Amino acid sequence: MSKGFDWETTAGVHWSKAENDWMCGGPTRATQALLAFDLIGSDTFKNLIKELNQRGYDVETLRFSVKKKK
C-alpha cells in the first residue's frame, strides 16, 4: 500500500483498486485511525465523493498526503 508515500514520515489517503476501498496510511496506528474514522468515515468526505462523482470526476484518482514537520 505504498502508492509512493513514505509511511514513516507521511500520512495519506488513496483509493485501492485491489481493496476496492479507501486506504489510509501513516507513521502510527493512531494517525491511520484518525484518517479512517474522522476523515474517510465522515459525512463530509462521503458528500465530497458523491459531489465529485456527479460532476464527472474520477474519484479513484483522488489522493492526498501530509508530511510530518522536521
Side-chain angles (χ1 to χ4, degrees), residues 24-44:
C24 304
T28 65
R29 288 186 185 252
T31 300
Q32 294 169 17
L34 176 71
L35 293 173
F37 297 110
D38 291 346
L39 178 65
I40 303 291
S42 73
D43 288 339
T44 301

mmCIF file of all heavy atoms in Angstrom, residues 24-44:
data_model
loop_
_atom_site.group_PDB
_atom_site.id
_atom_site.type_symbol
_atom_site.label_atom_id
_atom_site.label_comp_id
_atom_site.label_asym_id
_atom_site.label_seq_id
_atom_site.Cartn_x
_atom_site.Cartn_y
_atom_site.Cartn_z
ATOM 1 N N CYS A 24 -5.870 4.209 4.182
ATOM 2 C CA CYS A 24 -5.178 5.238 4.947
ATOM 3 C C CYS A 24 -3.857 4.685 5.433
ATOM 4 O O CYS A 24 -3.762 3.510 5.794
ATOM 5 C CB CYS A 24 -6.003 5.641 6.167
ATOM 6 S SG CYS A 24 -7.655 6.195 5.788
ATOM 7 N N GLY A 25 -2.862 5.518 5.470
ATOM 8 C CA GLY A 25 -1.570 5.105 5.978
ATOM 9 C C GLY A 25 -0.926 6.237 6.736
ATOM 10 O O GLY A 25 -1.313 7.393 6.602
ATOM 11 N N GLY A 26 0.027 5.879 7.554
ATOM 12 C CA GLY A 26 0.747 6.889 8.313
ATOM 13 C C GLY A 26 1.747 6.241 9.237
ATOM 14 O O GLY A 26 1.795 5.012 9.359
ATOM 15 N N PRO A 27 2.536 7.066 9.902
ATOM 16 C CA PRO A 27 3.597 6.542 10.748
ATOM 17 C C PRO A 27 3.102 5.808 11.996
ATOM 18 O O PRO A 27 3.835 5.005 12.554
ATOM 19 C CB PRO A 27 4.414 7.774 11.117
ATOM 20 C CG PRO A 27 3.575 8.948 10.796
ATOM 21 C CD PRO A 27 2.566 8.513 9.805
ATOM 22 N N THR A 28 1.872 6.068 12.421
ATOM 23 C CA THR A 28 1.350 5.398 13.618
ATOM 24 C C THR A 28 -0.073 4.906 13.373
ATOM 25 O O THR A 28 -0.781 5.424 12.505
ATOM 26 C CB THR A 28 1.326 6.353 14.833
ATOM 27 O OG1 THR A 28 0.385 7.410 14.563
ATOM 28 C CG2 THR A 28 2.691 6.946 15.116
ATOM 29 N N ARG A 29 -0.474 3.938 14.166
ATOM 30 C CA ARG A 29 -1.861 3.455 14.064
ATOM 31 C C ARG A 29 -2.851 4.540 14.453
ATOM 32 O O ARG A 29 -3.957 4.606 13.923
ATOM 33 C CB ARG A 29 -2.057 2.215 14.930
ATOM 34 C CG ARG A 29 -1.386 0.998 14.351
ATOM 35 C CD ARG A 29 -1.731 -0.240 15.170
ATOM 36 N NE ARG A 29 -0.983 -1.376 14.663
ATOM 37 C CZ ARG A 29 -1.524 -2.367 13.987
ATOM 38 N NH1 ARG A 29 -2.816 -2.378 13.752
ATOM 39 N NH2 ARG A 29 -0.779 -3.348 13.545
ATOM 40 N N ALA A 30 -2.451 5.391 15.381
ATOM 41 C CA ALA A 30 -3.327 6.495 15.791
ATOM 42 C C ALA A 30 -3.594 7.440 14.626
ATOM 43 O O ALA A 30 -4.723 7.897 14.429
ATOM 44 C CB ALA A 30 -2.706 7.247 16.958
ATOM 45 N N THR A 31 -2.565 7.711 13.840
ATOM 46 C CA THR A 31 -2.727 8.569 12.667
ATOM 47 C C THR A 31 -3.609 7.891 11.630
ATOM 48 O O THR A 31 -4.494 8.524 11.038
ATOM 49 C CB THR A 31 -1.354 8.911 12.051
ATOM 50 O OG1 THR A 31 -0.575 9.600 13.028
ATOM 51 C CG2 THR A 31 -1.500 9.775 10.816
ATOM 52 N N GLN A 32 -3.399 6.618 11.409
ATOM 53 C CA GLN A 32 -4.216 5.867 10.461
ATOM 54 C C GLN A 32 -5.674 5.862 10.901
ATOM 55 O O GLN A 32 -6.576 6.052 10.082
ATOM 56 C CB GLN A 32 -3.694 4.447 10.333
ATOM 57 C CG GLN A 32 -2.319 4.366 9.720
ATOM 58 C CD GLN A 32 -1.703 2.990 9.838
ATOM 59 O OE1 GLN A 32 -2.390 2.015 10.100
ATOM 60 N NE2 GLN A 32 -0.399 2.901 9.646
ATOM 61 N N ALA A 33 -5.911 5.679 12.193
ATOM 62 C CA ALA A 33 -7.282 5.668 12.723
ATOM 63 C C ALA A 33 -7.928 7.045 12.577
ATOM 64 O O ALA A 33 -9.115 7.155 12.246
ATOM 65 C CB ALA A 33 -7.287 5.229 14.181
ATOM 66 N N LEU A 34 -7.157 8.088 12.813
ATOM 67 C CA LEU A 34 -7.666 9.444 12.657
ATOM 68 C C LEU A 34 -8.165 9.666 11.237
ATOM 69 O O LEU A 34 -9.272 10.176 11.023
ATOM 70 C CB LEU A 34 -6.566 10.460 12.996
ATOM 71 C CG LEU A 34 -6.910 11.928 12.795
ATOM 72 C CD1 LEU A 34 -7.913 12.385 13.841
ATOM 73 C CD2 LEU A 34 -5.657 12.775 12.859
ATOM 74 N N LEU A 35 -7.362 9.264 10.269
ATOM 75 C CA LEU A 35 -7.763 9.412 8.865
ATOM 76 C C LEU A 35 -8.964 8.532 8.525
ATOM 77 O O LEU A 35 -9.883 8.965 7.838
ATOM 78 C CB LEU A 35 -6.590 9.073 7.939
ATOM 79 C CG LEU A 35 -5.408 10.031 7.969
ATOM 80 C CD1 LEU A 35 -4.258 9.466 7.142
ATOM 81 C CD2 LEU A 35 -5.799 11.401 7.475
ATOM 82 N N ALA A 36 -8.947 7.312 9.017
ATOM 83 C CA ALA A 36 -10.005 6.362 8.676
ATOM 84 C C ALA A 36 -11.349 6.752 9.277
ATOM 85 O O ALA A 36 -12.370 6.741 8.592
ATOM 86 C CB ALA A 36 -9.617 4.958 9.128
ATOM 87 N N PHE A 37 -11.361 7.088 10.534
ATOM 88 C CA PHE A 37 -12.633 7.323 11.217
ATOM 89 C C PHE A 37 -13.090 8.774 11.148
ATOM 90 O O PHE A 37 -14.267 9.042 10.912
ATOM 91 C CB PHE A 37 -12.559 6.858 12.667
ATOM 92 C CG PHE A 37 -12.321 5.388 12.789
ATOM 93 C CD1 PHE A 37 -11.122 4.896 13.259
ATOM 94 C CD2 PHE A 37 -13.292 4.475 12.396
ATOM 95 C CE1 PHE A 37 -10.899 3.530 13.349
ATOM 96 C CE2 PHE A 37 -13.080 3.114 12.474
ATOM 97 C CZ PHE A 37 -11.876 2.641 12.957
ATOM 98 N N ASP A 38 -12.165 9.709 11.347
ATOM 99 C CA ASP A 38 -12.564 11.113 11.389
ATOM 100 C C ASP A 38 -12.629 11.763 10.014
ATOM 101 O O ASP A 38 -13.278 12.783 9.844
ATOM 102 C CB ASP A 38 -11.616 11.915 12.282
ATOM 103 C CG ASP A 38 -11.751 11.546 13.745
ATOM 104 O OD1 ASP A 38 -12.735 10.872 14.100
ATOM 105 O OD2 ASP A 38 -10.875 11.926 14.548
ATOM 106 N N LEU A 39 -11.943 11.185 9.039
ATOM 107 C CA LEU A 39 -11.991 11.754 7.688
ATOM 108 C C LEU A 39 -12.821 10.886 6.756
ATOM 109 O O LEU A 39 -13.910 11.271 6.336
ATOM 110 C CB LEU A 39 -10.583 11.932 7.126
ATOM 111 C CG LEU A 39 -10.538 12.471 5.694
ATOM 112 C CD1 LEU A 39 -11.095 13.889 5.645
ATOM 113 C CD2 LEU A 39 -9.144 12.417 5.145
ATOM 114 N N ILE A 40 -12.331 9.698 6.447
ATOM 115 C CA ILE A 40 -12.996 8.816 5.486
ATOM 116 C C ILE A 40 -14.406 8.446 5.939
ATOM 117 O O ILE A 40 -15.319 8.351 5.130
ATOM 118 C CB ILE A 40 -12.173 7.523 5.265
ATOM 119 C CG1 ILE A 40 -10.770 7.858 4.797
ATOM 120 C CG2 ILE A 40 -12.866 6.581 4.289
ATOM 121 C CD1 ILE A 40 -10.689 8.421 3.423
ATOM 122 N N GLY A 41 -14.578 8.264 7.229
ATOM 123 C CA GLY A 41 -15.887 7.871 7.753
ATOM 124 C C GLY A 41 -16.864 9.015 7.925
ATOM 125 O O GLY A 41 -18.017 8.801 8.278
ATOM 126 N N SER A 42 -16.408 10.238 7.667
ATOM 127 C CA SER A 42 -17.270 11.399 7.907
ATOM 128 C C SER A 42 -18.270 11.607 6.773
ATOM 129 O O SER A 42 -18.018 11.261 5.623
ATOM 130 C CB SER A 42 -16.425 12.667 8.066
ATOM 131 O OG SER A 42 -15.895 13.070 6.823
ATOM 132 N N ASP A 43 -19.382 12.192 7.126
ATOM 133 C CA ASP A 43 -20.395 12.536 6.126
ATOM 134 C C ASP A 43 -19.849 13.565 5.136
ATOM 135 O O ASP A 43 -20.194 13.535 3.958
ATOM 136 C CB ASP A 43 -21.659 13.073 6.792
ATOM 137 C CG ASP A 43 -22.446 11.994 7.494
ATOM 138 O OD1 ASP A 43 -22.272 10.802 7.170
ATOM 139 O OD2 ASP A 43 -23.247 12.337 8.394
ATOM 140 N N THR A 44 -18.990 14.452 5.606
ATOM 141 C CA THR A 44 -18.403 15.464 4.731
ATOM 142 C C THR A 44 -17.606 14.816 3.613
ATOM 143 O O THR A 44 -17.738 15.191 2.443
ATOM 144 C CB THR A 44 -17.500 16.417 5.539
ATOM 145 O OG1 THR A 44 -18.283 17.048 6.555
ATOM 146 C CG2 THR A 44 -16.869 17.471 4.644
#
